[in-house]
Amino acid sequence: MKQIASFCIDHDTLGKGLYTSRIDGDVVTYDLRMVVPNAGIYLDNAGIHTFEHLFATYVRNSAYSDQVVYVGPMGCRTGFYFLVRDSLSPAEVILLTQETMDFIAGFEGPVPGAQRSCECGNYLNHDLAAARAYARDMAAVLRGWTPAMLDYDYDK
Ligand SMILES: [Zn+2]
């Protein structure tokens, strides 16, 4: 089998940030990298679960909801994939992601979709404090992020 594109990037030199992972037709996959890969520290499962619910809730209620395809965590627990239509410009994706981090960082109250009867498959496995901390950290990382920086090879 051929190796898929996202496995070909050099994970050992990848820093936290937002990157264009791949483009399939009109769907663009963004890589929201939240911890440095293979550095010994990984996102906690309950924290990413809550982060996922809040991330999806925010972007699907935003002005760009029709262009959002999918939001989901990476199995390696180092970040998220964010899939959108290419009608959303890179600058808009950066702005939307920054706004989402601010939303999660300041979120209070019950986690949306986290009731047992709702769509959640592991409703006890949530950690809002961790999700907020991840979002605060990423808000700082993404401050001043530009479309040029979406390139994995961009020299920071
Ligand atoms: Zn859930």
Side-chain angles (χ1 to χ4, degrees):
M1 286 191 275
K2 68 180 185 186
Q3 204 179 27
I4 65 174
S6 68
F7 288 170
C8 299
I9 58 165
D10 185 355
H11 281 88
D12 288 343
T13 60
L14 183 60
K16 296 182 194 180
L18 183 66
Y19 306 97
T20 309
S21 174
R22 52 182 295 148
I23 299 171
D24 301 277
D26 72 334
V27 175
V28 185
T29 299
Y30 288 91
D31 169 340
L32 180 66
R33 197 62 66 148
M34 297 165 60
V35 297
V36 175
N38 301 312
I41 298 167
Y42 302 95
L43 301 169
D44 173 73
N45 199 91
I48 45 178
H49 185 196
T50 302
F51 191 97
E52 177 195 25
H53 278 228
L54 293 172
F55 195 153
T57 296
Y58 187 81
V59 296
R60 292 194 184 285
N61 283 281
S62 72
Y64 305 116
S65 63
D66 289 348
Q67 287 124 289
V68 171
V69 176
Y70 175 75
V71 172
M74 298 173 184
C76 57
R77 292 188 286 118
T78 66
F80 274 73
Y81 285 119
F82 182 28
L83 281 67
V84 301
R85 301 279 174 210
D86 66 1
S87 50
L88 209 53
S89 73
E92 287 171 321
V93 170
I94 292 169
L95 190 65
L96 178 58
T97 308
Q98 289 167 330
E99 286 175 3
T100 305
M101 295 306 106
D102 291 340
F103 169 76
I104 298 172
F107 188 82
E108 288 175 13
V111 177
Q115 282 75 48
R116 184 176 198 161
S117 58
C118 198
E119 68 276 13
C120 188
N122 193 352
Y123 80 108
L124 292 175
N125 188 232
H126 278 282
D127 186 340
L128 179 58
R132 288 179 56 153
Y134 297 154
R136 262 197 312 278
D137 182 51
M138 287 312 294
V141 169
L142 297 180
R143 206 161 289 142
W145 207 259
T146 64
M149 294 162 83
L150 294 169
D151 187 334
Y152 283 123
D153 294 328
Y154 180 84
D155 216 356
K156 282 189 261 314

